[in-house]
Amino acid sequence: MEKRGTFAGLNSIKFNQYFRTNDDCTKYIAEIKWEQGYHCKRCGNEKFINGIKPYHRRCLSCKYDESPTAGTMFDKVKFSLLLAFHIVFKVVTKKKGMSTLELSREFELRQKTCWGFKWKIQQAMASSLTHPLQGTVHVDEFFVGGPEEQKRGRAKGNKKLVILALEIVDDGVGRAYAEVIEHASSKELGAFLNKYVSKDAKIIADEWTGYAPLKNEFSKLEQVKSDTGKNFKDIHLHIMNIKGWLRGIHHHCSKDHIQGYLNEYHYRYNRRNHMGSMFDLLMKKMILNSPIRLL
Ligand SMILES: [Zn+2]
């Protein structure tokens, strides 16, 4: 099988040279989509001829003509593929991402249109859940979109309760994941840890009672006094950074969509040392993961 071309790096001039036309983008999508071979979506047959349009494939058995974008997050996008690629590149490679307002100004699209596409990008940025956090992991919860004083109560009104887990490594911090939860109950805290943290990890939480029953499942879980945050400096800094980012760039983001923003933040954060490969990796997720309908 021929090796597909991949775009790497953060240089927008090179990006413009690599993707000049919609056909360049269609080709990129087709190569990712069928990199592991062709299977007709309708009948599963593996033999095809070229379809009617460039890079389409037509099944030799049932004659179904499949476009490269069919079944991907680029299906039925309301603007050109070239524009869609530019938006993905900007959102993923800019250190702080781009708000839908900025996107609508730069690309002369309606903000609502940008929002719909960015929402898809954020879904693709969700963790694949294949690399749980290891070693020493700090966990804590915080509120987004309101004052702090109601710590640990049920999230009310506009506020959303978020749980965060952060790897602590020798020379600083490793990866992190965050999720919106309803209550800081053992059930929800446990579900989060099961999803994102290895069973062998040394999990460090504060003295909140919700963590105590989880010691049965996570044998190395320890609870330590927060001491007004002194014992949790790194995770508190991380929380401040998320909040600052949400406030600064995305202050219009609806509280119901916080999870998408948490996905976006951590997609970039967890790959901060491999930024050059972020675009291609995200393209793969947008093409190979099943498309998700807009809420
Ligand atoms: Zn077929």
Side-chain angles (χ1 to χ4, degrees):
M1 204 182 304
E2 210 178 307
K3 198 175 176 320
R4 72 179 176 89
T6 55
F7 179 81
L10 307 171
N11 183 326
S12 59
I13 295 175
K14 286 184 181 163
F15 187 85
N16 289 339
Q17 288 165 345
Y18 199 97
F19 300 105
R20 288 171 185 277
T21 63
N22 286 318
D23 269 1
D24 292 340
C25 302
T26 310
K27 179 170 183 264
Y28 205 82
I29 293 175
E31 287 185 356
I32 290 177
K33 183 175 186 177
W34 292 308
E35 190 176 14
Q36 306 297 329
Y38 165 84
H39 298 273
C40 170
K41 258 166 67 115
R42 289 268 168 85
C43 73
N45 172 48
E46 293 178 9
K47 295 215 162 59
F48 66 92
I49 51 168
N50 290 337
I52 297 165
K53 292 184 182 166
Y55 308 107
H56 281 220
R57 292 187 176 188
R58 188 175 168 85
C59 171
L60 267 177
S61 169
C62 77
K63 314 291 183 225
Y64 174 62
D65 190 297
E66 186 175 338
S67 110
T69 57
T72 77
M73 289 190 187
F74 292 94
D75 201 12
K76 300 187 179 70
V77 166
K78 291 177 185 141
F79 36 82
S80 74
L81 277 182
L82 190 58
L83 194 43
F85 271 47
H86 273 268
I87 293 175
V88 173
F89 182 68
K90 283 278 165 111
V91 167
V92 79
T93 58
K94 281 189 79 166
K95 190 157 179 272
K96 298 193 169 193
M98 263 180 109
S99 69
T100 52
L101 183 64
E102 288 174 293
L103 288 171
S104 86
R105 282 185 188 143
E106 177 152 349
F107 296 109
E108 297 173 345
L109 294 165
R110 290 170 60 219
Q111 194 177 350
K112 204 174 164 216
T113 306
C114 295
W115 189 85
F117 188 61
K118 192 168 164 198
W119 188 86
K120 288 188 191 176
I121 296 176
Q122 288 181 331
Q123 303 314 303
M125 284 172 153
S127 165
S128 55
L129 304 177
T130 47
H131 300 97
L133 302 180
Q134 311 273 355
T136 302
V137 176
H138 284 190
V139 282
D140 201 3
E141 318 95 64
F142 60 99
F143 277 109
V144 170
E148 286 291 309
E149 69 271 18
Q150 236 193 337
K151 197 156 162 58
R152 263 116 190 206
R154 191 193 159 92
K156 288 206 180 77
N158 270 340
K159 282 187 284 184
K160 290 284 177 192
L161 183 60
V162 175
I163 176 166
L164 167 71
L166 173 70
E167 269 175 352
I168 305 294
V169 295
D170 286 343
D171 50 354
V173 286
R175 294 167 303 142
Y177 294 112
E179 214 168 70
V180 174
I181 53 174
E182 278 291 310
H183 302 90
S185 63
S186 297
K187 192 178 162 209
E188 289 193 52
L189 300 174
F192 172 81
L193 293 180
N194 268 303
K195 220 166 142 182
Y196 295 101
V197 184
S198 158
K199 284 270 192 303
D200 296 327
K202 181 181 170 187
I203 300 170
I204 300 181
D206 63 15
E207 292 172 303
W208 171 244
T209 51
Y211 288 107
L214 302 176
K215 288 173 189 165
N216 297 328
E217 223 181 322
F218 294 89
S219 56
K220 296 184 192 163
L221 192 150
E222 275 176 38
Q223 290 189 274
V224 302
K225 227 183 168 63
S226 167
D227 198 10
T228 59
K230 277 196 201 108
N231 290 325
F232 294 93
K233 272 201 183 116
D234 289 319
I235 197 162
H236 285 177
L237 180 65
H238 192 98
I239 291 170
M240 271 173 48
N241 289 339
I242 294 178
K243 287 183 169 188
W245 176 70
L246 284 170
R247 260 198 309 269
I249 312 255
H250 305 288
H251 51 281
H252 297 299
C253 102
S254 148
K255 300 298 172 289
D256 292 332
H257 300 121
I258 292 286
Q259 187 61 52
Y261 288 87
L262 295 172
N263 295 347
E264 181 186 344
Y265 188 89
H266 291 101
Y267 182 87
R268 232 182 269 111
Y269 180 81
N270 290 339
R271 291 169 185 79
R272 61 198 183 278
N273 299 324
H274 318 277
M275 287 179 62
S277 61
M278 282 194 306
F279 171 78
D280 187 67
L281 186 62
L282 185 60
M283 292 302 295
K284 277 207 259 185
K285 286 174 171 245
M286 293 186 73
I287 292 159
L288 299 175
N289 296 358
S290 344
I292 304 160
R293 294 283 157 246
L294 210 53
L295 286 174

